[in-house]
Amino acid sequence: MPLQPPSLQQSCQMKRSVPFELFRYAAILLALAITLVPILWMVSMAFKPIGEWSATGAELTWWPKEPTLNNFRFIFGESTSNLIVALDRTALKPILSSLLSAVFGTAIAMGAGTAAAYGLSRFGSGQNLPLALIQLRLFPPMAVMIPVMIMWAFLGLIDTWWGLALIYGIVTLPFAFWLMKTFFDDMPREIEEAALVEGCSRWRVFTRITLPMMRAPLASAALFVFILNWSDYLIALLLTTREWVTIPVYMASLSSSMTGQLYGAKAALGLIAAVPPVIMGIAIQRHLVRGLTFGALKQ
Amino acid sequence: MTMATLPSTLAPAVPADKPENESARLGFRLTLPAQILVLFIAVFPLLMQLYISLSDWAPLSGVEWWNAWELWNSFANYSDLAADTRFWSALWCTALVMVICVPAEFLLGLALATLFADDFPGKRVFYSILLMPMMVVPAVAGYMFFMLFQSGGPVNDILSALTGRTVAIAWLSDPTLAFIAVVIADIWQWTPLMFLILLAGLVGVPDDQIKAATLLGANAWQRFTTIVLPKMKTIIIIALAIRVIENFKIFDTLFIMTGGGPGVATETISVYVYKVTTQDLIWGYVAAIALAILVVLSVVAVFAMKRMAKARELAA
């Protein structure tokens, strides 16, 4: 048995009754079913041949009868005999766009956020940042997009992955800042102080001692921020038009008046988009609470 | 050097050759990039937004935005806003989604969290699976539910199996049913967030008081309402605040499922602003709407911030 996290009732040594255990498993199984049905439906759809996509007039199939990889081949531009249409552009560039903008957006947020968090945590600089950044988080993106669109057009950043990366970096800066601030606040200062006494400059202490020690929290925070950036739809919808549309924006183009919704192709692309954040999210499960509550709550 | 033996309660030991203001200077430099980004995205754009909101400016009006004063319309945007029925209906729709989704997510999340409070076989695996929806890209989740609610889709299939009749409801083209579908999608995706936060809070409730209450003969329900819930008050407020804030922005899932329709049945504030921005292109007016929303939310932000600071004090 792997070690279990500590729990509320353990030390009370209470014996739960059999009916309660039955009820618990029944309730959890129901929750699992509700959780998994939408996900599994998409997974199943991604491997269905075109004949099984739509149930209109046909039997609804829950699991592909003739599993195929044609949907994946199709979105990457390989013409497959059973799909009538050809794509004018493949999913490759949107995937690249999502990846580049999310990665560099994460780099911007983490770079500025980590530095500022350290500055505030150790030197008390930037007292205005906590509130300013929470407000930034609070605003619906839609309510600040007019000036952003004007600025981005002025700077020639519309429809570029670097323009997206810049706005992503700013939008997720609050999360990077708050996460790193709570990590720095929790970190014991004795080692830093010892290094200062040994004659290191404060900058050297930060780059040579603090940052290497914080490698694991930094990685968790970066993954958290990456998930947020990768999940964006609205901003990319407004700031990209054709060349550098991201996966969710591109997805809408996978329907045509001729074929209607290309269910299988969309599901295949959806699966590609959904897998990385789910894996990363499970990997950083321990820090999710801290990240989502701006450090107000630690797990 | 013998200074390392100083008790750590003394302020950071700074050797004489290091100027005191080295930390202040470094602190300033470290926070500078974040400050610039905040200025770049918050302060300057807000002023720009305020300026534009006082005019009839639009991207196609043939005037650069900084010359928007030529199109000054003496606060007409703001008086238009008060009379804009579509704006108020969008606000109403947003509020309706919120008062249904947030309590539902809270109660379901709390119920699940209590089921997970003690150990049982399979806990970790179930926990990980139950958290999955919140990690799915919202746009993809929107597409999942778009598929599920097709008239020949699995939801109707399940209903057919349950009722024994052929159910072929066109969920997304009926105003009420489309609204219900959108609400279900939001609850599906964000109950895990409530569950995650509330479980963390639940596990943090100190054991000794519960043990004492048990010895005194309190039953599970009494222990829950008189000890656990009051102890979790701050966490509950934080969890609710986060969902209220995020739910107010609702866009991705909903927009992909219904596009705000049929008609304006599921048109929330974000969808409305998006449509006015991209279709009607009256950006001066959009800026006025956006500013009105921002002013209200800023008040909420200050309130939420105080709450969170208090929570951190309690946690420390």
Side-chain angles (χ1 to χ4, degrees):
Chain A
M1 257 329 265
L3 277 175
Q4 299 277 341
S7 66
L8 181 61
Q9 311 289 356
Q10 208 169 31
S11 54
C12 297
Q13 293 173 346
M14 286 187 305
K15 286 269 185 294
R16 295 295 205 168
S17 57
V18 175
F20 174 80
E21 289 299 333
L22 283 179
F23 168 75
R24 169 163 41 207
Y25 277 100
I28 291 176
L29 284 180
L30 180 67
L32 286 179
I34 295 170
T35 300
L36 286 174
V37 161
I39 298 175
L40 290 181
W41 181 258
M42 187 181 74
V43 174
S44 141
M45 184 65 87
F47 296 99
K48 280 181 185 172
I50 190 163
E52 297 176 39
W53 283 2
S54 171
T56 345
E59 186 83 353
L60 187 75
T61 49
W62 280 86
W63 215 241
K65 284 183 193 134
E66 296 163 41
T68 168
L69 287 175
N70 278 351
N71 296 325
F72 293 92
R73 293 203 188 99
F74 175 70
I75 56 172
F76 288 112
E78 200 177 303
S79 60
T80 48
S81 52
N82 57 349
L83 286 169
I84 327 134
V85 284
L87 287 172
D88 61 334
R89 43 208 314 260
T90 70
L92 208 59
K93 192 131 179 233
I95 291 174
L96 187 68
S97 174
S98 278
L99 211 56
L100 283 171
S101 54
V103 166
F104 283 88
T106 305
I108 293 172
M110 287 303 296
T114 306
Y118 192 74
L120 180 61
S121 178
R122 292 294 186 274
F123 313 122
S125 312
Q127 298 284 350
N128 64 317
L129 281 175
L131 183 62
L133 288 174
I134 281 210
Q135 272 178 313
L136 192 59
R137 184 59 215 158
L138 183 76
F139 296 161
M142 200 56 246
V144 282
M145 282 315 278
I146 289 282
V148 169
M149 286 162 83
I150 296 172
M151 284 162 72
W152 259 236
F154 182 75
L155 297 170
L157 293 174
I158 299 279
D159 205 16
T160 60
W161 66 261
W162 51 95
L164 270 188
L166 181 58
I167 187 78
Y168 286 171
I170 298 171
V171 168
T172 50
L173 178 62
F175 288 99
F177 171 80
W178 274 98
L179 259 171
M180 289 319 294
K181 183 181 173 303
T182 64
F183 284 132
F184 285 135
D185 288 348
D186 287 355
M187 183 185 154
R189 295 176 193 203
E190 282 75 13
I191 300 170
E192 290 180 345
E193 281 162 20
L196 277 178
V197 172
E198 294 297 324
C200 278
S201 72
R202 286 191 179 272
W203 172 250
R204 229 181 128 75
V205 170
F206 175 55
T207 54
R208 295 295 165 83
I209 294 176
T210 314
L211 285 184
M213 274 176 67
M214 301 291 278
R215 216 178 292 141
L218 270 169
S220 309
L223 285 181
F224 186 85
V225 170
F226 178 88
I227 295 176
L228 295 173
N229 286 335
W230 179 264
S231 300
D232 166 70
Y233 173 55
L234 177 58
I235 296 174
L237 193 59
L238 288 166
L239 291 184
T240 60
T241 49
R242 187 183 160 82
E243 270 321 299
W244 290 102
V245 294
T246 58
I247 297 174
V249 183
Y250 171 78
M251 226 162 151
S253 70
L254 289 176
S255 49
S256 71
S257 50
M258 229 167 85
T259 55
Q261 295 280 341
L262 298 173
Y263 288 110
K266 278 193 176 182
L269 187 60
L271 191 59
I272 294 172
V275 167
V278 170
I279 291 174
M280 289 175 185
I282 289 172
I284 56 162
Q285 228 173 54
R286 231 154 53 79
H287 297 300
L288 282 179
V289 170
R290 188 194 287 248
L292 291 163
T293 59
F294 285 101
L297 190 59
K298 291 156 196 165
Q299 210 170 14
Chain B
M1 292 262 239
T2 55
M3 284 171 84
T5 56
L6 278 174
S8 59
T9 46
L10 286 182
V14 183
D17 57 320
K18 291 194 183 296
E20 270 295 338
N21 62 5
E22 188 204 340
S23 353
R25 226 179 321 124
L26 182 58
F28 174 74
R29 284 183 193 155
L30 284 172
T31 45
L32 193 60
Q35 298 281 20
I36 292 172
L37 288 179
V38 169
L39 273 178
F40 186 60
I41 205 66
V43 182
F44 177 63
L46 280 185
L47 293 175
M48 186 200 269
Q49 185 136 310
L50 179 65
Y51 175 58
I52 293 170
S53 77
L54 299 172
S55 73
D56 278 329
W57 188 80
L60 301 177
S61 59
V63 180
E64 293 294 348
W65 71 266
W66 52 85
N67 286 329
W69 56 270
E70 292 171 15
L71 303 165
W72 159 267
N73 65 5
S74 46
F75 301 101
N77 287 333
Y78 291 93
S79 49
D80 285 353
L81 185 59
D84 183 349
T85 49
R86 210 168 141 203
F87 168 75
W88 292 107
S89 114
L91 206 57
W92 169 247
C93 181
T94 313
L96 206 57
V97 171
M98 192 185 288
V99 297
I100 298 172
C101 287
V102 177
E105 286 156 17
F106 170 71
L107 291 176
L108 289 171
L110 187 64
L112 274 175
T114 48
L115 290 180
F116 274 76
D118 56 351
D119 292 335
F120 58 91
K123 180 176 171 176
R124 293 181 75 108
V125 179
F126 294 153
Y127 179 73
S128 294
I129 296 177
L130 286 178
L131 291 187
M132 276 165 72
M134 61 182 275
M135 297 160 195
V136 172
V137 178
V140 173
Y143 177 60
M144 284 179 188
F145 280 85
F146 176 82
M147 281 195 295
L148 290 177
F149 283 107
Q150 292 303 300
S151 58
V155 169
N156 282 344
D157 196 51
I158 294 172
L159 289 177
S160 302
L162 290 177
T163 58
R165 278 176 287 158
T166 312
V167 179
I169 305 168
W171 286 85
L172 298 177
S173 30
D174 177 272
T176 315
L177 294 178
F179 185 84
I180 291 172
V182 161
V183 163
I184 290 176
D186 192 77
I187 293 174
W188 177 82
Q189 184 154 41
W190 297 114
T191 297
L193 182 114
M194 283 285 192
F195 165 61
L196 174 77
I197 296 177
L198 293 175
L199 181 58
L202 197 60
V203 172
V205 173
D207 275 357
D208 46 356
Q209 296 188 15
I210 296 170
K211 220 185 287 180
T214 316
L215 290 176
L216 290 171
N219 65 30
W221 177 252
Q222 286 169 329
R223 289 196 301 267
F224 186 70
T225 51
T226 58
I227 300 172
V228 179
L229 276 187
K231 287 271 175 211
M232 286 177 67
K233 194 176 150 204
T234 320
I235 286 154
I236 289 174
I237 291 173
I238 292 174
L240 288 173
I242 290 173
R243 274 315 294 150
V244 165
I245 292 168
E246 292 299 317
N247 192 273
F248 185 80
K249 304 176 186 172
I250 186 167
F251 181 85
D252 299 6
T253 329
L254 187 149
F255 188 71
I256 287 178
M257 286 174 72
T258 66
V264 291
T266 56
E267 190 171 275
T268 57
I269 278 291
S270 286
V271 175
Y272 172 60
V273 177
Y274 173 79
K275 284 186 178 167
V276 184
T277 307
T278 56
Q279 291 163 15
D280 303 344
L281 289 175
I282 36 176
W283 285 13
Y285 185 55
V286 179
I289 303 176
L291 270 183
I293 297 170
L294 289 184
V295 168
V296 176
L297 287 181
S298 297
V299 177
V300 181
V302 174
F303 177 77
M305 181 73 191
K306 281 186 179 154
R307 272 289 174 186
M308 290 206 183
K310 205 169 146 195
R312 263 190 297 276
E313 269 167 38
L314 289 178

